[in-house]
Amino acid sequence: MRVLRSLLCSSAPLLGVFRVRFWDPRVSKRKAWLSLSVQRWCTSEASGLSSDHLSSGSDKYQQLKKHFVRRLKATYHRFHSIPDYSVVCGCHHVYFIKADGIYRIDKRDCTPEPEQVLNLEHASRAERRTRAESEGRVQWTIQRIRLSPHEKHLAATLKCCHTEELKCVVVRLGERNTSILPPHYILLELQSVFSFEWATDDVLFYTTLEGLSSSSVFRLDLASEGSGKVTSVYEETQPDVFVEVALSRDRQILTINCNSRTSSEVMLIDVTKSRLEPFVIRPRQLDLLYHVEHWKGSLLILANTGPGQEYQVMQSPTSEPSTASWASLFVPKPDSAIKDMDVVGDYCLLVLKTPANELALSVMSLRNPKETYIIELPSWACSIETKKPGLADRQDVLEFLLSSPVHPPVPFSLDPEKGLLLSDPGTQTHSESHDKYVTTRLKACSQDGTLVPVTLLHAVPVEDLSQAPLLVHVYGAYGRDLSMEFCPVRRFLLEQGWALAYCHIRGGGERGLSWHRQTRVEGKRRGVEDLQACLQKLFSSGVSSASLTALTACSAGAVPVAALCNWKPNMMRAVTLQAPFLDVLGTMEKADLPLTVEDRDEWGDAVGNPNHRHIIASYCPLHNITPQRYPSMLLTAYSGDPRIPLEGVLKYAKYIKKAIHTHLNRKQNADCESAPSIVLNVQPGANHLGPEDFVQMLEEEAFRLAFLYTELNLDPPQPRRKRKR
């Protein structure tokens, strides 16, 4: 399901291009693939941590970090074989990713042996010849794979491990027993490719990423003479519009999706026809968001034309896609929100968030839309990942993974015609966790009376959590849901007696589009009020206490967290912020920065609108620091991060240290009050997401845990005792 992902596609501070789904400590890199809604990771402290903070130096965490490296390595090893959808099924072969490249096996062989299709060593030779030796070896990780309709060609995007540089490699596929030596070879490389889809065996459409902007669509024609002809298909002129290409599930249409935060324009290409010319479905209109799927000569359109400008499902003939022909098929019930849409056989499948903040599937017959039924999903499920069907996969069955931050992914398949939902019996290894760990959903009443959902994950009854350490997760921006996928580190914390809370504050997308609209520009303070209400709800419910509570956030999620630290610093003991957006006012004043113009719809125009400037200044974390006792903070930033200016993070660390010093010097009993630790961890490189290297990622997570355990005064967890034989 890629519908709402394209609508949310943007180079905003949240956006990244990876989602970790498979870990193997025996391999130096994490297996990953391209995704538009991702959890961001930060680098390790390999380059050294600043010792310039108010308490002791960062070396006080190092011994404990070594302990957590060992514990986390064992935890990742336990989950190294969780299911994922990185395998691609072709007509005759199955393709999969290993550390050194792409391999495939022949489904027709009784005893298939893997053969290598793409060697990463070969793909990086050109870079090693053109780059200075001082830069070191260039390493690439494989992002996403696409097969041409009859498996004639393979295209794969690669990402440089130390930057956000992208490229696409096009491989000519052959048979092992042919005279071609070698049977598979690289035809060409395309630089800066972001999204790409095959229209035919010889025609590839793709978009390029320049900086943080994607505005150009190109067509590669391999049937032409030479190494392939590249022509320009479309060029977007609006600076706040992000462009990508996508293929419908039935592979009948290719769409060019041009989305900003407030409007959409979709162009359609019928790949079944010889003339692959795009035409516009509905011209751009302010505040109209829509996306398109295809079903038997008609378009299914997910558009925010429902009550309250929420999403509903519309239908239109492909031959006449104008707005006048849009007919409503499905409107969700009040307080339910459509999160995604897919077309499976003759059915439209919708992922819903229910009023109880749980996931559900709505199944609607496209032959008779009145035949609609709801499938309730397991109560522990917090995240759903659907499989993009391969060339040989069944088109009338939906395969998907359900998971939560502490529940490993479980494969499910749905036959919508039979109404049959099945789980994979081969995943019983980790099934005990789905009963052992509890998911409790709470609602906190914010200052204006709005009920804010809170997801609480715990291993003991709520009434026994009063002395448990609590880690609170926050985001609340750009209409994006808080990431709730499985994470071995979160599972480890739960096993050590922690409680984990996920606060779905306004600004995210958990409760629909209006949930985001309420905190755009003038309403940003509501997100901070929501976070405060969530903490109060947790404490009043008997969950932990302020002295045992830590908050964690990344990128734009740092705004409500750091703002609350200014308002109510006594509500938490420690904070960890990764690639944090802390100087909202200073950033929005600089129109030359990559995201300032695009982000005005989210934060406001600090230069051209005095009222917006006043509002931003009222909550901006950097500009509201005051002398008082703050919680301990771990700030991880990246020197070349194009999304988060390093200058703002450095200023924030400097100002907050100065404010704490001023506070302590004013107090008569300053000698009796210990100073909080403000640890600034600045890493080299431009990778907003952190390293792909498994060891470095492990060290970063271990250091974060060492910081939390130290600042919350927790005893280190004891290693598991080996069972006696």
Side-chain angles (χ1 to χ4, degrees):
M1 291 188 180
R2 303 183 55 83
V3 172
L4 295 187
R5 294 177 195 171
S6 69
L7 290 177
L8 293 173
C9 181
S10 158
S11 51
L14 170 72
L15 178 67
V17 294
F18 293 97
R19 177 180 294 161
V20 177
R21 301 297 300 168
F22 187 95
W23 304 273
D24 190 346
R26 298 165 297 180
V27 180
S28 62
K29 297 182 181 64
R30 300 174 293 174
K31 294 188 178 181
W33 64 85
L34 192 69
S35 176
L36 299 176
S37 57
V38 301
Q39 181 175 351
R40 214 174 343 259
W41 300 87
C42 300
T43 61
S44 72
E45 44 73 61
S47 63
L49 292 162
S50 171
S51 61
D52 180 23
H53 56 80
L54 294 177
S55 61
S56 60
S58 61
D59 56 344
K60 70 177 181 178
Y61 309 109
Q62 296 304 316
Q63 193 62 36
L64 190 54
K65 189 195 88 167
K66 294 178 182 178
H67 168 82
F68 281 118
V69 166
R70 294 191 297 268
R71 297 299 304 275
L72 291 183
K73 186 179 295 184
T75 301
Y76 274 89
H77 180 73
R78 286 163 51 203
F79 298 104
H80 76 274
S81 60
I82 61 175
D84 65 22
Y85 286 147
S86 59
V87 172
V88 177
C89 295
C91 298
H92 304 296
H93 300 84
V94 175
Y95 297 77
F96 55 94
I97 300 171
K98 296 184 71 174
D100 60 343
I102 300 175
Y103 288 76
R104 76 177 186 180
I105 57 175
D106 195 327
K107 295 185 292 185
R108 297 165 293 185
D109 290 349
C110 297
T111 56
E113 293 184 4
E115 60 173 324
Q116 191 171 45
V117 173
L118 174 65
N119 189 320
L120 286 179
E121 184 76 11
H122 297 162
S124 61
R125 282 178 180 172
E127 280 72 20
R128 291 204 304 275
R129 288 195 299 266
T130 58
R131 301 189 188 210
E133 291 293 330
S134 60
E135 293 185 23
R137 182 180 178 183
V138 179
Q139 294 181 330
W140 297 87
T141 55
I142 298 166
Q143 301 284 284
R144 184 168 60 173
I145 298 173
R146 290 289 184 265
L147 292 173
S148 66
H150 297 95
E151 235 176 305
K152 181 179 179 181
H153 294 106
L154 175 147
T157 43
L158 311 180
K159 178 182 174 295
C160 184
C161 293
H162 306 294
T163 68
E164 296 195 359
E165 180 181 350
L166 297 167
K167 70 177 180 179
C168 179
V169 177
V170 180
V171 178
R172 176 71 164 90
L173 299 175
E175 292 294 335
R176 206 180 333 205
N177 57 356
T178 62
S179 59
I180 302 177
L181 294 175
H184 320 294
Y185 56 93
I186 297 175
L187 284 177
L188 75 164
E189 295 183 2
L190 303 169
Q191 300 302 316
S192 304
V193 172
F194 180 74
S195 64
F196 60 108
E197 297 288 355
W198 291 100
T200 70
D201 267 327
D202 295 310
V203 176
L204 180 76
F205 286 86
Y206 64 94
T207 63
T208 55
L209 196 65
E210 301 296 333
L212 298 178
S213 175
S214 176
S215 59
S216 303
V217 182
F218 298 94
R219 167 178 168 166
L220 169 67
D221 192 343
L222 296 174
S224 61
E225 296 181 1
S227 59
K229 179 181 178 182
V230 175
T231 56
S232 176
V233 176
Y234 176 75
E235 186 73 29
E236 177 59 55
T237 59
Q238 298 295 324
D240 62 337
V241 173
F242 197 92
V243 181
E244 67 164 348
V245 295
L247 195 64
S248 63
R249 184 181 175 93
D250 63 5
R251 302 179 181 271
Q252 299 295 301
I253 63 169
L254 185 143
T255 56
I256 300 174
N257 304 294
C258 310
N259 300 302
S260 72
R261 302 203 195 286
T262 57
S263 63
S264 301
E265 185 172 270
V266 179
M267 286 171 279
L268 184 149
I269 299 174
D270 188 341
V271 300
T272 65
K273 297 182 179 179
S274 57
R275 287 179 57 84
L276 301 175
E277 299 294 335
F279 64 91
V280 176
I281 294 176
R282 172 66 172 83
R284 185 176 307 281
Q285 176 184 323
L286 183 63
D287 294 329
L288 174 63
L289 302 173
Y290 73 97
H291 190 91
V292 176
E293 253 293 352
H294 181 256
W295 176 72
K296 295 184 177 180
S298 67
L299 302 177
L300 295 182
I301 304 167
L302 190 63
N304 66 330
T305 54
Q309 288 186 289
E310 296 291 343
Y311 283 117
Q312 66 170 333
V313 181
M314 315 284 285
Q315 187 175 21
S316 170
T318 305
S319 58
E320 184 57 39
S322 63
T323 311
S325 65
W326 291 11
S328 179
L329 284 186
F330 178 85
V331 179
K333 294 181 179 179
D335 296 328
S336 293
I338 299 176
K339 305 306 299 178
D340 219 334
M341 178 181 76
D342 213 336
V343 177
V344 180
D346 292 330
Y347 292 84
C348 175
L349 272 60
L350 301 169
V351 177
L352 303 178
K353 267 291 183 70
T354 69
N357 199 38
E358 295 183 341
L359 289 173
L361 290 176
S362 175
V363 182
M364 176 176 60
S365 170
L366 293 173
R367 296 187 178 278
N368 185 3
K370 293 183 179 180
E371 294 182 2
T372 301
Y373 61 92
I374 300 292
I375 293 181
E376 295 183 358
L377 298 177
S379 60
W380 54 262
C382 298
S383 175
I384 183 169
E385 177 75 20
T386 57
K387 180 181 180 181
K388 182 180 177 68
L391 299 176
D393 287 338
R394 290 182 59 184
Q395 299 291 324
D396 57 350
V397 172
L398 178 71
E399 296 181 60
F400 58 95
L401 299 173
L402 293 180
S403 67
S404 87
V406 299
H407 298 98
V410 176
F412 285 82
S413 61
L414 171 65
D415 185 331
E417 184 174 2
K418 299 178 181 178
L420 189 61
L421 181 66
L422 300 175
S423 62
D424 188 345
T427 59
Q428 298 301 317
T429 305
H430 306 294
S431 62
E432 74 282 353
S433 66
H434 300 96
D435 298 324
K436 182 177 180 180
Y437 300 114
V438 183
T439 304
T440 300
R441 290 177 171 85
L442 307 172
K443 289 188 177 181
C445 185
S446 193
Q447 186 172 312
D448 61 1
T450 300
L451 296 179
V452 182
V454 181
T455 303
L456 179 66
L457 304 173
H458 49 105
V460 299
V462 173
E463 54 267 23
D464 296 332
L465 292 175
S466 60
Q467 301 300 316
L470 174 65
L471 185 61
V472 179
H473 304 72
V474 190
Y475 187 68
Y478 300 108
R480 291 182 178 270
D481 293 8
L482 188 59
S483 177
M484 298 285 285
E485 290 118 348
F486 176 66
C487 175
V489 179
R490 300 299 178 258
R491 172 64 173 263
F492 172 79
L493 288 176
L494 212 64
E495 292 172 345
Q496 303 309 316
W498 287 67
L500 307 177
Y502 291 77
C503 301
H504 309 288
I505 65 175
R506 281 175 286 183
E510 285 87 347
R511 304 305 304 148
L513 295 175
S514 63
W515 201 245
H516 173 224
R517 286 195 297 265
Q518 291 179 56
T519 57
R520 279 172 48 189
V521 188
E522 293 91 345
K524 280 298 176 184
R525 293 175 66 93
R526 293 190 182 115
V528 189
E529 294 167 358
D530 289 355
L531 177 56
Q532 180 180 344
C534 290
L535 291 178
Q536 291 171 340
K537 177 64 177 181
L538 288 164
F539 297 155
S540 65
S541 300
V543 179
S544 195
S545 61
S547 63
L548 290 171
T549 295
L551 271 62
T552 185
C554 65
S555 198
V559 175
V561 172
L564 186 63
C565 290
N566 288 331
W567 296 6
K568 301 287 183 179
N570 295 326
M571 295 194 74
M572 74 291 292
R573 184 66 174 265
V575 168
T576 68
L577 301 176
Q578 305 157 24
F581 187 33
L582 296 167
D583 186 11
V584 183
L585 182 60
T587 301
M588 297 310 297
E589 287 178 332
K590 300 176 181 178
D592 58 330
L593 292 177
L595 296 175
T596 299
V597 174
E598 180 181 352
D599 276 357
R600 285 172 180 166
D601 289 329
E602 181 72 20
W603 307 99
D605 184 357
V607 176
N609 190 316
N611 184 48
H612 288 183
R613 179 184 176 84
H614 174 74
I615 293 170
I616 295 172
S618 71
Y619 68 81
C620 175
L622 175 64
H623 293 269
N624 286 277
I625 295 174
T626 185
Q628 60 183 335
R629 178 181 175 85
Y630 279 89
S632 294
M633 294 186 182
L634 171 58
L635 310 173
T636 303
Y638 301 90
S639 59
D641 189 345
R643 294 177 176 84
I644 304 296
L646 180 61
E647 179 186 6
V649 183
L650 298 179
K651 282 184 178 180
Y652 181 85
K654 178 182 177 181
Y655 290 176
I656 204 164
K657 292 176 185 179
K658 182 178 179 181
I660 294 172
H661 275 302
T662 302
H663 165 69
L664 293 177
N665 290 336
R666 287 177 180 176
K667 294 179 66 68
Q668 296 181 354
N669 61 341
D671 294 337
C672 302
E673 183 178 351
S674 61
S677 300
I678 307 298
V679 182
L680 178 61
N681 176 14
V682 179
Q683 297 297 318
N687 194 343
H688 186 66
L689 310 177
E692 279 74 51
D693 184 82
F694 178 81
V695 174
Q696 291 182 349
M697 182 271 290
L698 203 66
E699 291 185 348
E700 169 63 23
E701 293 289 358
F703 182 80
R704 188 175 297 112
L705 292 187
F707 173 84
L708 290 174
Y709 268 80
T710 301
E711 299 307 323
L712 268 61
N713 296 318
L714 302 176
D715 294 329
Q718 298 300 314
R720 288 185 172 185
R721 294 183 179 180
K722 295 183 178 180
R723 296 180 179 179
K724 295 183 179 180
R725 295 183 179 179

